[in-house]
Amino acid sequence: MELQLQKPTQLASGIRLEGTPSITMGFGRVQLDMPAIMNNRAEGNISGTLRIELWDLDAPYSGGDFNGEPLAGFTVGTLTSGYCYPACEYDLINLTFSNQAERPVVMLREWNGASYDTVAFCEIADRTEKVAAPVKKAAPVARTETPKTEQPKAKATPKTAPKAKAEAKSVAKKSAKKKGSIELISINDASVADVAELKGVSEKLAAAIVAGRPYTSPNELLRVKGMGVKLLTRIKDSIKL
């Protein structure tokens, strides 16, 4: 819900974060305490679709392109000039299912008609990690020993076992050889038809992937509507930049 600013201030950046975010990670989820989002652009200037993304980056960030691992993200919508989205707490799915992040950064990104631009960001210094509750060990169960006279005899290994193992090994080699001959699909250059050949990717999703170019890492496909962690994991070995 948008709230109107009492005294909007015209800033060069236009859209900014008012405050400092913090996160709590663990149990497959991320709790994000998000500061207010301000639109201080000129009157009548409505933003493009805004999206909040939480990343664990490989290096300190000062703007522009980046590399890292996505932790969570969600779309907040457009924002009218002179209005803001107030500070809120969000309970999000942790895309990495990890309770650790070396360099978490919150990025506010805006759709420009072809891709998302980072219009504001903030490194997170205040973060906590939840520790899983200890698992109680089950009480030991008394063992009942079987009299030696009733113990079943071990079955002899069939003589054909070595042959079966050899055949299985041969099939595995052929499969590995076949897999190595598959040509990787370029998510930055391939056509919609070629992207749609990826297992689990529909023509509609392929068109959205092509429209969202360019990508600097396969993980950026998670910002495309319809692409989830499971599907990205499934196709990751079949794609390239």
Side-chain angles (χ1 to χ4, degrees):
M1 177 179 179
E2 293 182 354
L3 296 179
Q4 188 169 15
L5 301 176
Q6 293 182 351
K7 295 181 180 179
T9 304
Q10 300 302 327
L11 300 177
S13 60
I15 296 178
R16 63 190 178 92
L17 300 176
E18 182 66 28
T20 304
S22 64
I23 59 173
T24 302
M25 304 182 64
F27 305 111
R29 306 197 68 82
V30 175
Q31 180 181 313
L32 173 61
D33 293 334
M34 188 67 195
I37 302 172
M38 306 286 188
N39 183 351
N40 289 306
R41 289 174 175 168
E43 184 177 354
N45 191 323
I46 300 177
S47 74
T49 299
L50 297 175
R51 178 174 172 80
I52 295 173
E53 296 181 0
L54 178 61
W55 287 78
D56 185 11
L57 299 186
D58 297 337
Y61 185 65
S62 58
D65 296 335
F66 57 89
N67 291 309
E69 187 174 16
L71 301 177
F74 61 97
T75 301
V76 295
T78 59
L79 185 59
T80 307
S81 59
Y83 285 76
C84 74
Y85 286 115
C88 290
E89 293 183 0
Y90 299 94
D91 183 24
L92 308 170
I93 296 176
N94 186 351
L95 299 178
T96 64
F97 292 96
S98 168
N99 67 338
Q100 294 182 347
E102 295 296 327
R103 189 176 285 106
V105 177
V106 167
M107 295 190 179
L108 180 60
R109 314 194 74 199
E110 181 181 17
W111 181 252
N112 62 17
S115 61
Y116 278 97
D117 295 327
T118 302
V119 293
F121 65 91
C122 185
E123 292 191 2
I124 297 176
D126 179 17
R127 64 183 187 273
T128 57
E129 298 173 359
K130 294 182 179 178
V131 180
V135 180
K136 294 183 179 180
K137 295 183 179 180
V141 179
R143 297 178 58 187
T144 304
E145 295 186 0
T146 304
K148 292 183 179 180
T149 55
E150 296 180 6
Q151 290 181 352
K153 295 182 179 180
K155 294 183 179 180
T157 303
K159 294 182 180 180
T160 56
K163 182 179 180 181
K165 289 183 178 179
E167 291 178 354
K169 188 174 182 180
S170 176
V171 171
K173 285 184 178 180
K174 290 180 179 180
S175 176
K177 183 177 180 181
K178 185 177 181 181
K179 182 176 180 182
S181 64
I182 297 177
E183 184 176 354
L184 300 181
I185 300 296
S186 171
I187 58 176
N188 280 328
D189 299 318
S191 64
V192 173
D194 289 338
V195 176
E197 291 182 1
L198 292 168
K199 188 174 181 181
V201 176
S202 64
E203 290 188 5
K204 182 178 180 181
L205 178 55
I209 291 173
V210 171
R213 293 171 177 170
Y215 304 99
T216 58
S217 71
N219 285 335
E220 287 195 14
L221 287 175
L222 291 172
R223 75 187 185 207
V224 179
K225 185 176 181 180
M227 176 62 69
V229 176
K230 290 185 179 179
L231 179 55
L232 178 59
T233 302
R234 187 188 309 165
I235 68 173
K236 210 165 187 178
D237 292 336
S238 303
I239 61 176
K240 64 179 181 179
L241 297 179

